[in-house]
Amino acid sequence: CVSFAPSQMATLIIHGRIETTEAKAKEIRPIMEKLVTKALDNTLASRRLIMARLMNRNPETKKLVEVIAPKYKDQKGGYTRVLKLPQRLSDGAKKAIIEFV
């Protein structure tokens, strides 16, 4: 995990979508996909692994396991999507929205 990922992943879990740079969104996506797949197991071990990845944030872990993951029980991946936005005017960074499908 990179340093920004746990806080942005927690925000994504809370709000369902976040606006960030395209590079960060592309880096968060595979991590979130794996966490949702792990949350589908709903075992103590999977909860502990998710909590470790989210820097011990219990409310976000609980929401991921009990609210978000059950929506995807019949789906084999593709839980998130990245939508590209126009560049930021100040520094020209490519922007994107990452959200749960």
Side-chain angles (χ1 to χ4, degrees):
C1 273
V2 282
S3 60
F4 65 82
S7 63
Q8 287 199 330
M9 289 189 307
T11 306
L12 177 59
I13 292 168
I14 293 167
H15 300 290
R17 68 187 295 177
I18 56 171
E19 185 176 318
T20 184
T21 62
E22 189 177 326
K24 288 179 184 179
K26 286 182 176 180
E27 193 158 336
I28 291 170
R29 185 176 186 184
I31 300 168
M32 279 307 302
E33 296 278 336
K34 289 174 186 165
L35 287 183
V36 173
T37 302
K38 196 54 101 168
L40 288 169
D41 295 344
N42 197 8
T43 61
L44 180 61
S46 65
R47 281 180 181 255
R48 286 181 176 167
L49 185 128
I50 293 165
M51 191 172 297
R53 296 286 186 272
L54 295 176
M55 306 295 270
N56 294 325
R57 295 189 171 160
N58 192 35
E60 288 85 350
T61 301
K62 187 173 180 178
K63 183 173 180 180
L64 182 64
V65 172
E66 296 175 4
V67 178
I68 296 171
K71 294 179 189 174
Y72 304 112
K73 66 179 179 283
D74 298 326
Q75 198 170 333
K76 300 282 186 199
Y79 314 117
T80 59
R81 69 174 152 223
V82 176
L83 304 170
K84 295 180 182 182
L85 296 174
Q87 289 184 342
R88 195 164 43 202
L89 292 176
S90 60
D91 61 356
K94 294 179 180 177
K95 300 288 289 178
I97 292 176
I98 182 168
E99 63 185 3
F100 287 106
V101 178

